Amino acid sequence: MAVVRRAGADDAPTLARLLWDFDTEFDTGPDPVDVLAARFARILPLDPVLALVAEDAGPDGAAEAVGFALLTLRPAIWFDGPVAQLEELYVVPGRRGGGIGSALLARARSAVADRGAPELHIPVDEPDDGARRFYERHGFVNVEPGAEGRMLLYVGPTSPDAAG
């Protein structure tokens, strides 16, 4: 079974490769691995950023990264603790269905709860039925209790001139 640990700045190249694989798999036009590695190296030391890496023994017996999670925390007005957001969760295709994603999510929940976050937000693309089922199986919802409609996340440029 894979071991989940907190990632440090020295894990930036590994996380960058995993994110590149993730973005390539889902055809989201990833940035080059070296660009992603530099970004990970810049953000991983920041206090509101938390990355986890799942490792298991590779074919040669050495530890091999088989998944990761990236979380951020931000101040909240709705409660005293921060709001946590799961920015990314990825398990390499050949290792899915074996509990690695669940282990990453459990460790992520525990880590942000330890930092005082009472809530974890997870943006998911609507067509990604597999991810939606995974999070729903773990108790996440896209309708707040007592609300009538689904929660939606809107994305747009910060410059009004760039809006189409």
Side-chain angles (χ1 to χ4, degrees):
M1 180 61 174
V3 174
V4 176
R5 66 171 177 81
R6 181 159 184 189
D10 56 329
D11 292 302
T14 299
L15 296 174
R17 181 186 50 79
L18 288 168
L19 182 58
W20 189 88
D21 290 347
F22 184 15
D23 290 346
T24 300
E25 179 181 346
F26 291 97
D27 198 26
T28 59
D31 288 319
V33 173
D34 61 329
V35 171
L36 295 171
R39 289 180 187 153
F40 272 115
R42 179 178 47 83
I43 68 169
L44 287 173
L46 302 176
D47 191 50
V49 176
L50 171 66
L52 305 170
V53 63
E55 295 176 324
D56 208 350
D60 63 356
E64 176 180 83
V66 293
F68 82 101
L70 179 65
L71 300 113
T72 56
L73 294 105
R74 68 179 187 276
I77 194 68
W78 311 282
F79 33 76
D80 292 333
V83 171
Q85 182 160 309
L86 182 62
E87 305 290 347
E88 304 287 351
L89 189 146
Y90 177 68
V91 175
V92 298
R95 298 302 303 273
R96 294 179 187 153
I100 295 169
S102 294
L104 281 162
L105 183 59
R107 180 74 183 270
R109 286 174 122 165
S110 174
V112 296
D114 288 349
R115 290 182 172 206
E119 197 168 88
L120 178 58
H121 295 181
I122 306 173
V124 178
D125 295 328
E126 187 172 10
D128 193 345
D129 293 330
R132 290 175 42 222
R133 280 192 307 273
F134 173 78
Y135 293 121
E136 289 168 7
R137 189 170 65 246
H138 288 281
F140 291 88
V141 297
N142 66 353
V143 177
E144 289 187 283
E148 293 182 24
R150 295 178 298 150
M151 291 181 275
L152 301 173
L153 171 70
Y154 290 85
V155 178
T158 55
S159 169
D161 297 336

